[in-house]
Amino acid sequence: MKLWTHCSVATMATDAAQAYGLIEDAAMVADGAMLRWVGPRTALPAELDAACTQRHDAQGALITPGLIDCHTHLVYGGDRAREFELRLNGATYEEIARGGGGIASTVQATRAASAEQLMGQSRTRLRQFLCEGVTTLEIKSGYGLELAQERKLLQVARALGQEQALDVRTTFLGAHALPPEFAGRADDYIDEVLAMLPRLHAEGLVDAVDAFCERIAFSPAQVSRVFEAAQALGLPVKLHAEQLSDSGGAQLAAHFAALSCDHLEWLSEEGAAAMAAAGSVAVLLPGAFYFLRETKVPPIEMLRRHGVAIAIASDCNPGSSPCTSLLLMLNMACTLFRLTPEEALAGVTRHAAQALGLNDRGVLAAGMRADFALWDVQRPAQLAYALGANPCLQTIFKGAPR
Ligand code: NIG
Ligand code: FE
């Protein structure tokens, strides 16, 4: 067993009296990949103390759960710097999408890239997340939009999880955009998505199913067909909902007991109530809000009032959030959306785990995974406060330093 002392621990446990579940002068014991004991050092049972063969002095570091990014499109080809220029010359995200740019241009670049090229490009991005204490990261497909290409993306995502010391969760986002070869035939493309899903699932490549419900993407009726297919396979669903307009996506997703609804700038009261009843997490994406220069802030107060759990994610993607820093998202969640630093940190730990349907992480307590990060800060709020700093000293994944 391994022991860490001379640290304070932001456990993020909900039943704790202290903000952040903070324990000053804490001790943590890991047994293999799991935590055996977390508490005040003075309360550590003597026999556990004696059983620890490896003892680590954390030198006053703050320890938090390993960070969890529950919404990324990390694997893609090319970039969209040209589109960034177009937008700065007056074009809007929607106009570019309708003109065949946007997601479609990334689809073209992604299809043209080999698995090795995608792996190289995506690994570089992933390493940035790893440097900042991320131990679990979700990756969506959705830039292939045909069987072999979606398979390539999901295989690259799985391979990244195997070669790097973190957990990668994969999400099939076949219903992300209409591929050019299906122009004007969205329902036919949904048939195609329904054909891809069971095959990719049978290959062990799919942990969850997502869709983009929006006027520039798919209608609630079309998303509903995808979710029915997911449900039939026993796969959990999540949804890109109410990003650019209110299309009732949140209610639809809640009807399918979605793990999460993501973006939500245009979420209605009915949507929030439905999410609360279904236990769906609200995944807020301040990077996309910032990068698209949106002005409509997600209804934070409404989410609080309905008791909807809030997660924060990077949405790492080439079009709306070319971002590889979850710490920066913590800051932006506070500055742009007015979350408290404590809510923001819960958003990349406990609630992010919930948004992925994982109940063994996101909180530091006995029986949870020994995934945690050591930070060179005195107070948890410093993680959300700084812009562009990376105070991560070390990350422990499944009980071992990486
Ligand atoms: O989460 N909203 C849809 N999908 C991505 C953007 C993808 C892209 O523009 O390439 C998002 O913002
Ligand atoms: Fe997204």
Side-chain angles (χ1 to χ4, degrees), residues 1-7 9 26-30 35 41 52 54-58 63 370 372 374 394 396 399-401:
M1 282 192 282
K2 298 175 184 171
L3 171 71
W4 280 264
T5 53
H6 194 189
C7 53
V9 176
M28 264 201 327
V29 177
L35 289 172
R41 186 182 52 80
C52 289
Q54 268 190 45
R55 312 173 79 83
H56 301 277
D57 179 347
I63 297 183
F372 53 90
L374 284 72
Q394 191 185 30
I396 309 295

Side-chain angles (χ1 to χ4, degrees), residues 59-287:
Q59 302 186 333
L62 172 76
I63 297 183
T64 68
L67 304 189
I68 299 173
D69 194 337
C70 63
H71 180 143
T72 88
H73 309 247
L74 183 106
V75 178
Y76 60 80
D79 73 79
R80 303 247 284 281
R82 176 69 193 132
E83 178 179 318
F84 182 54
E85 284 184 317
L86 288 174
R87 285 200 294 114
L88 284 164
N89 283 297
T92 71
Y93 183 70
E94 280 194 66
E95 281 163 6
I96 292 166
R98 290 186 198 283
I103 295 176
S105 71
T106 297
V107 170
Q108 207 179 3
T110 304
R111 286 178 175 179
S114 67
E116 291 66 35
Q117 287 167 330
L118 285 177
M119 193 81 185
Q121 192 181 338
S122 306
R123 184 188 293 116
T124 305
R125 289 188 279 271
L126 184 58
R127 286 206 174 123
Q128 311 274 342
F129 285 102
L130 292 172
C131 290
E132 289 188 350
V134 171
T135 48
T136 299
L137 180 130
E138 184 252 19
I139 300 178
K140 302 175 195 297
S141 68
Y143 291 122
L145 309 183
E146 64 184 39
L147 180 64
Q149 296 288 347
E150 288 288 294
R151 179 187 287 128
K152 177 175 73 176
L153 292 183
L154 293 167
Q155 283 173 339
V156 167
R158 282 272 189 256
L160 286 169
Q162 261 135 33
E163 70 164 37
Q164 305 291 326
L166 91 162
D167 252 13
V168 167
R169 305 291 295 177
T170 58
T171 301
F172 174 59
L173 177 56
H176 190 199
L178 195 60
E181 59 276 19
F182 279 87
R185 297 187 296 126
D187 288 312
D188 292 349
Y189 178 62
I190 294 294
D191 290 342
E192 198 58 33
V193 170
L194 300 190
M196 289 185 232
L197 176 56
R199 297 187 60 173
L200 296 170
H201 176 50
E203 293 168 28
L205 292 170
V206 181
D207 296 325
V209 174
D210 194 351
F212 187 16
C213 188
E214 191 57 67
R215 53 195 179 205
I216 53 166
F218 298 98
S219 69
Q222 288 160 343
V223 170
S224 196
R225 293 180 60 205
V226 177
F227 283 2
E228 272 160 22
Q231 204 169 47
L233 294 169
L235 285 167
V237 301
K238 39 184 57 244
L239 187 66
H240 283 71
E242 342 297 22
Q243 178 186 12
L244 308 169
S245 62
D246 178 14
S247 48
Q251 293 91 309
L252 170 73
H255 176 74
F256 286 91
L259 288 174
S260 69
C261 297
D262 305 35
H263 286 288
L264 299 177
E265 278 79 350
W266 293 83
L267 179 69
S268 66
E269 188 90 44
E270 296 72 34
M275 287 176 65
S280 305
V281 176
V283 178
L284 305 184
L285 306 166

